[in-house]
Amino acid sequence: MLNQVKDYIQQHALFDPATDTVLVAVSGGLDSVVLLDVLHRLGVRLAVAHCHFGLRGDEADADEQFVRKLAKQYEAPYHAEFFQTKAFAEREGISTQMAARLLRYQWFEQVRQQHGYAAVATAHHRRDQAETMLLNLTHGTGLAGLHGIQPKNGHVVRPLLGLGRDDLYDYLVENRLIWREDASNDSPVYQRNRLRLEALPVLRDLNPNLDNTLAATAERVGGAEEIVRRYVADTAAQARRDEPEATYFNIATLQNTAATALVLHELLRPFGFSWAVSKEIAGSFNSLSGKQFDSPTHRLVKDRAQLVVTPRRLAQYGTFQLTQGQADLLADGLRLRASEHPRAGYEVPRSRSTAALDADKLQFPLTLRRWREGDWFMPLGMRGKKHLSDFLIDQKVPLNLKDEVRVLTSADGKICWVVGFRVDDRFKVTDETARVLQVQRL
């Protein structure tokens, strides 16, 4: 079996076993315990990641302790995260299973980036592939759902996907490995469990070779999807524009494609939009601006001749302060860098991402916050005040980007900079300025 996995890794270019360090997702169950041992025996440098979803009480605590000891046994760095899964699911209006999936893959990628791991390995195998294909077909799906789980998706890899569950169990017994059984795997509450326990046995009576048949079907469907993918990529090259704040799609270009709704869905699938919502979006092309659509992770707004896609923030931005002499401020992904300069010889930058402020007119600490209805300021070059809501309309800021606009205020409450847009005229640098506070959005 070791050679099978080694060949599979090489065939699908999952990672380089000789040089790469791989983060292995380990629940403590049979599949992930086998994955960890196989990769260890193949000489792969490993780290272990374990998710505690706060759903199974003492049993989940025992799982975490078991995986912690397992990582120590394999002399692998150990990473664990304790999630408030139910609270997150309720806040986002999604199922507990969807919440757990979003949380774990988001966290895996954070750990991978933070520690420089080459890939995240999960223990999906051929039976998981069959279950996923049939579950997707039951719910309704496109080509991507019919080919099921991919050997490699971004930095997530599945080295065991070419093996059956019986192969894993035989390996476990042969090597006398210990694992923990998750009682929730037999609970009929979860759809996947009902499919596994009730529907699949009937289908295997009709076709004892069902898992292999579905794996071959997935391979053929994957080839058809590659043809579609290339067409979609050509369309994206013409219609899509990526900016730091959002992704834009040109509606006129999309309308000229064959099977517009299908192409649009393929373009929007990475942002979490379903087929049904993608059809609604395509149907809105000739409607008025401002129509809004949400996926679990992103928001899309039809804005004039374009679609604007932005991430949905999973946590609301709060209020953050910049004290005098402080160089950096990190606020939920937005980074500001402040530096003080003498006025003599200082040239005011023309970039909208940098504010040059008269330091002596500021009162510290400065506060970074989201803009609010009723906010006003005096845009640079104007004598009168302007409501920020009107200013953003004048700037043609799409609806979903308005929620991301921040203001930097002096301690007296006055807005000194609408971040990324305009300095307040009251704080501008003049010939009388002695000290300049430069604040840059990185």
Side-chain angles (χ1 to χ4, degrees):
M1 193 172 103
L2 291 179
N3 287 332
Q4 284 181 268
V5 176
K6 183 179 180 180
D7 291 345
Y8 192 85
I9 292 170
Q10 184 175 5
Q11 177 186 352
H12 295 281
L14 301 188
F15 54 86
D16 187 338
T19 60
D20 290 338
T21 301
V22 176
L23 180 66
V24 185
V26 181
S27 66
L30 185 155
D31 304 342
S32 61
V33 167
V34 169
L35 174 63
L36 184 64
D37 190 75
V38 166
L39 294 181
H40 171 73
R41 290 174 187 266
L42 288 175
V44 180
R45 286 196 292 269
L46 305 173
V48 172
H50 178 77
C51 297
H52 187 307
F53 294 109
L55 299 174
R56 295 185 296 114
D58 292 343
E59 188 179 354
D61 294 340
D63 287 347
E64 192 277 325
Q65 290 298 317
F66 172 78
V67 177
R68 182 185 295 271
K69 291 177 182 177
L70 202 61
K72 185 175 181 181
Q73 174 186 329
Y74 286 98
E75 299 181 341
Y78 179 66
H79 308 277
E81 187 62 64
F82 297 79
F83 296 108
Q84 300 296 322
T85 311
K86 283 189 176 179
F88 176 80
E90 290 173 5
R91 186 170 71 244
E92 297 300 316
I94 56 179
S95 69
T96 302
Q97 284 180 298
M98 174 63 77
R101 175 181 171 80
L102 285 173
L103 289 169
R104 70 174 174 263
Y105 280 108
Q106 184 181 64
W107 177 65
F108 288 158
E109 180 59 15
Q110 288 174 355
V111 174
R112 188 197 68 79
Q113 290 186 20
Q114 183 179 354
H115 295 274
Y117 300 136
V120 177
T122 66
H124 294 93
H125 48 76
R126 195 180 296 152
R127 192 184 75 177
D128 293 318
Q129 173 76 291
E131 291 174 2
T132 299
M133 290 176 68
L134 292 172
L135 199 59
N136 288 343
L137 188 61
T138 301
H139 291 158
T141 186
L143 291 174
L146 285 177
H147 73 50
I149 304 169
Q150 293 282 61
K152 186 173 186 178
N153 183 11
H155 292 287
V156 178
V157 299
R158 283 92 181 199
L160 304 183
L161 201 55
L163 300 173
R165 185 73 189 289
D166 290 344
D167 298 323
L168 272 59
Y169 184 79
D170 290 345
Y171 179 92
L172 189 99
V173 172
E174 180 182 343
N175 291 280
R176 299 181 180 180
L177 301 179
I178 299 173
W179 81 98
R180 284 186 56 80
E181 196 66 60
D182 182 351
S184 68
N185 286 337
D186 294 326
S187 170
V189 171
Y190 300 111
Q191 291 182 356
R192 182 178 286 270
N193 291 352
R194 290 192 64 191
L195 181 74
R196 179 189 310 127
L197 300 173
E198 300 173 17
L200 278 172
V202 176
L203 294 176
R204 289 195 176 97
D205 281 343
L206 298 174
N207 179 5
N209 200 34
L210 180 68
D211 290 354
N212 289 333
T213 300
L214 289 177
T217 300
E219 187 175 357
R220 294 198 300 274
V221 172
E225 189 193 23
E226 177 62 19
I227 297 172
V228 174
R229 187 196 66 77
R230 293 185 184 186
Y231 179 74
V232 171
D234 290 342
T235 302
Q238 302 173 54
R240 177 171 173 163
R241 175 168 56 90
D242 292 300
E243 300 291 347
E245 75 281 0
T247 298
Y248 300 83
F249 293 96
N250 182 275
I251 291 175
T253 302
L254 294 173
Q255 287 176 312
N256 288 329
T257 62
T260 300
L262 175 62
V263 171
L264 181 63
H265 179 228
E266 292 301 313
L267 291 169
L268 295 180
R269 197 155 49 85
F271 302 103
F273 289 95
S274 68
W275 164 245
V277 174
S278 297
K279 286 203 299 182
E280 284 187 53
I281 295 169
S284 75
F285 283 172
N286 295 318
S287 65
L288 296 175
S289 290
K291 195 158 187 181
Q292 180 175 296
F293 304 87
D294 285 336
S295 78
T297 57
H298 286 76
R299 174 162 294 166
L300 180 148
V301 171
K302 181 193 178 291
D303 184 64
R304 302 171 183 85
Q306 61 189 356
L307 305 176
V308 185
V309 183
T310 53
R312 287 178 61 200
R313 304 303 180 188
L314 300 183
Q316 295 295 316
Y317 288 100
T319 296
F320 303 88
Q321 292 191 332
L322 183 71
T323 60
Q324 192 161 15
Q326 181 179 341
D328 290 291
L329 175 64
L330 180 62
D332 285 320
L334 175 65
R335 183 184 294 275
L336 298 183
R337 176 159 296 165
S339 56
E340 190 174 304
H341 306 268
R343 175 66 178 97
Y346 180 82
E347 185 173 341
V348 176
R350 293 183 177 273
S351 170
R352 296 204 312 175
S353 64
T354 303
L357 307 170
D358 189 321
D360 293 315
K361 293 179 181 177
L362 296 167
Q363 296 181 28
F364 285 88
L366 305 183
T367 297
L368 179 72
R369 61 170 174 81
R370 300 178 73 176
W371 77 282
R372 305 167 185 150
E373 286 292 340
D375 277 343
W376 63 270
F377 78 127
M378 298 178 66
L380 184 65
M382 290 181 59
R383 292 187 178 275
K385 71 179 186 179
K386 193 174 189 71
H387 280 96
L388 198 48
S389 56
D390 295 332
F391 173 78
L392 296 176
I393 291 174
D394 292 345
Q395 296 292 307
K396 295 183 170 55
V397 178
L399 182 64
N400 46 345
L401 289 183
K402 287 182 182 178
D403 292 339
E404 307 304 320
V405 174
R406 286 357 167 284
V407 295
L408 190 66
T409 67
S410 181
D412 57 8
K414 295 176 182 176
I415 293 176
C416 54
W417 184 29
V418 180
V419 178
F421 289 95
R422 193 80 60 86
V423 167
D424 188 293
D425 197 77
R426 294 167 294 180
F427 297 92
K428 68 182 178 183
V429 173
T430 67
D431 291 340
E432 286 74 38
T433 299
R435 297 178 301 124
V436 178
L437 180 71
Q438 177 177 290
V439 185
Q440 183 180 11
R441 177 177 181 171
L442 301 178

